[in-house]
Amino acid sequence: MRRDQPPRPVAAGDVVAVYSEALGAWTASQVTGIDAAAKSATVLELDWSGTEPSTVADLGDVQPLRLTHHSCGGRLAHCNHGWLLPKSFTVIGSLPLLVTSPSNAYSPAWGRGQQLARQRHWDSGDREDWTAPYALTCTADELAAVRSSGSVRAGVEHLTVRGITRLDCTLLVAAFPDLTRLSLWGNLGTLTSAAALNQLPRLQGLTITELFGMDASDCLLPHHVPDVEEVSLYGIPADYAAAMRKTWRPHVRHGVQLDVRGARKPEWVAANTANPLRDWDGREHIPRTVYRKAVAQYKATRDAFLAEVTSGEQHGNIKDIGRAFASALNALDRRSPCIETVEREELFDALDFLVDEAQTATGRDLSAARATLIEGANSARDW
């Protein structure tokens, strides 16, 4: 596999077709450019759907998809993606470029007809947002209610579950046997019986974030789930990560997008259960020394805040504690600029986290102390 060419052969002018769950039919796109340096492909979605095409002649007189729904303003559905052509897409021929101008838009996923479905929904005169009838997003608690009812949710093909503390994949598979895409999100939560995901024969995409409890024996296996074309894992056990990487890496050249990051050992999980800044560990633009110092400052702030609210005094130092926290992070950011919008929100989340811990420890309402702490941080922060 040459490094200067996409893993699956595709070139500017090529027309690719894919089955669209959103349309209940096939749809097509044209590749308008390949950037070897960026490893990206610029793709123009076409205003076409129908039965599975064999060649570009089956498409007839195709036109670019122009979006007028909501606030799109008539722009073309023209976007940059990673240059790996997903397994379910097929090259059916080539046409002269329908668009020659570049695109500034970027999306990690190639379009599968969702934009065309939204546009047709809009063109029908319905101004309500189009929602995919085959997709379900829920919390772990809502999922538990579905499972406890014993009902089988046939027809749900895309499932996203957030806020997982503990989830048994055996029960999930029994309740949702038709899944093609599954996204599971936790916060140092536990995933059990992950090998049961091999019992989803139509599975195409799997995302697991910040969940543990899996090991190498839970690996997703290509011969059980032959249609898988996307594996995205972050914040998962190290041995599970290694097994998944080893198993799926040879399939990249066949159109499997593989992204495995944030592999964690058991010692890391144990040490970071009460560390709200743990996601900074290994983040590309945050140096390791900055991460360690930020965590140390968080712990010092947590200890100072808890000591203050349990001192029996008037808590006049809380604002100073907030200022000290912000000033320390100012200094770190000046030496190695790394606090952007996401990190700023995470720092405030960390302050909320330490106040919640203190409330649990003291059994008291610390709403006023929380506001004072944040006021102090806001008065001194440069980030």
Side-chain angles (χ1 to χ4, degrees), residues 220-233:
L220 203 63
L221 300 173
H223 64 278
H224 287 307
V225 283
D227 295 334
V228 162
E229 59 185 3
E230 180 183 0
V231 177
S232 180
L233 309 174

Side-chain angles (χ1 to χ4, degrees), residues 37-350:
K39 294 186 177 180
S40 66
T42 310
V43 183
L44 174 71
E45 295 183 51
L46 304 181
D47 192 352
W48 179 89
S49 66
T51 57
E52 182 177 2
S54 298
T55 69
V56 292
D58 295 332
L59 305 182
D61 182 19
V62 292
Q63 299 296 321
L65 175 59
R66 194 170 292 277
L67 304 175
T68 61
H69 65 80
H70 298 89
S71 58
C72 289
R75 65 177 175 83
L76 293 173
H78 194 209
C79 195
N80 296 291
H81 311 289
W83 70 352
L84 175 64
L85 182 67
K87 182 192 292 187
S88 58
F89 284 71
T90 303
V91 177
I92 60 171
S94 182
L95 288 172
L97 292 182
L98 298 175
V99 171
T100 57
S101 58
S103 170
N104 295 323
Y106 181 83
S107 172
W110 289 56
R112 298 170 183 272
Q114 295 95 330
Q115 287 284 21
L116 181 54
R118 289 188 179 93
Q119 186 60 49
R120 289 181 174 174
H121 181 76
W122 181 269
D123 291 342
S124 73
D126 192 334
R127 295 302 186 253
E128 296 294 325
D129 285 341
W130 177 84
T131 56
Y134 50 83
L136 173 64
T137 296
C138 62
T139 66
D141 290 342
E142 291 167 340
L143 180 67
V146 172
R147 296 201 316 269
S148 64
S149 70
S151 61
V152 175
R153 298 292 298 273
V156 174
E157 299 178 353
H158 295 191
L159 177 64
T160 299
V161 187
R162 300 186 182 278
I164 297 170
T165 54
R166 189 172 189 87
L167 178 62
D168 184 338
C169 291
T170 302
L171 300 177
L172 182 147
V173 169
F176 298 93
D178 296 335
L179 293 181
T180 59
R181 296 190 180 273
L182 176 62
S183 297
L184 303 174
W185 298 74
N187 190 1
L188 291 190
T190 300
L191 200 63
T192 62
S193 304
L197 300 180
N198 283 292
Q199 297 170 29
L200 295 171
R202 298 178 57 208
L203 192 67
Q204 289 182 297
L206 176 65
T207 298
I208 299 177
T209 303
E210 285 285 328
L211 288 168
F212 297 85
M214 310 85 83
D215 60 28
S217 67
D218 290 307
C219 186
L220 203 63
L221 300 173
H223 64 278
H224 287 307
V225 283
D227 295 334
V228 162
E229 59 185 3
E230 180 183 0
V231 177
S232 180
L233 309 174
Y234 177 78
I236 32 81
D239 53 351
Y240 178 72
M244 290 286 278
R245 192 181 288 113
K246 180 179 179 181
T247 298
W248 288 98
R249 186 179 286 142
H251 295 266
V252 170
R253 64 179 179 271
H254 303 305
V256 176
Q257 178 68 49
L258 180 63
D259 184 11
V260 181
R261 295 173 293 118
R264 310 298 190 190
K265 294 185 177 180
E267 299 79 12
W268 184 95
V269 177
N272 284 278
T273 300
N275 174 15
L277 297 179
R278 59 178 173 266
D279 283 350
W280 288 24
D281 188 8
R283 192 170 292 179
E284 186 174 354
H285 70 287
I286 300 180
R288 181 70 180 173
T289 54
V290 170
Y291 165 69
R292 287 198 297 263
K293 290 178 180 179
V295 171
Q297 181 59 46
Y298 166 76
K299 291 179 179 179
T301 303
R302 177 196 61 193
D303 295 345
F305 181 83
L306 183 59
E308 184 68 15
V309 298
T310 57
S311 66
E313 303 296 332
Q314 295 299 311
H315 313 324
N317 293 326
I318 291 178
K319 185 177 288 188
D320 290 337
I321 293 171
R323 289 194 190 100
F325 176 79
S327 297
L329 271 298
N330 287 344
L332 288 177
D333 193 46
R334 279 195 296 271
R335 287 194 292 270
S336 299
C338 61
I339 302 178
E340 300 173 2
T341 302
V342 170
E343 289 74 27
R344 180 172 66 247
E345 296 302 319
E346 288 169 336
L347 288 170
F348 281 110
D349 288 344

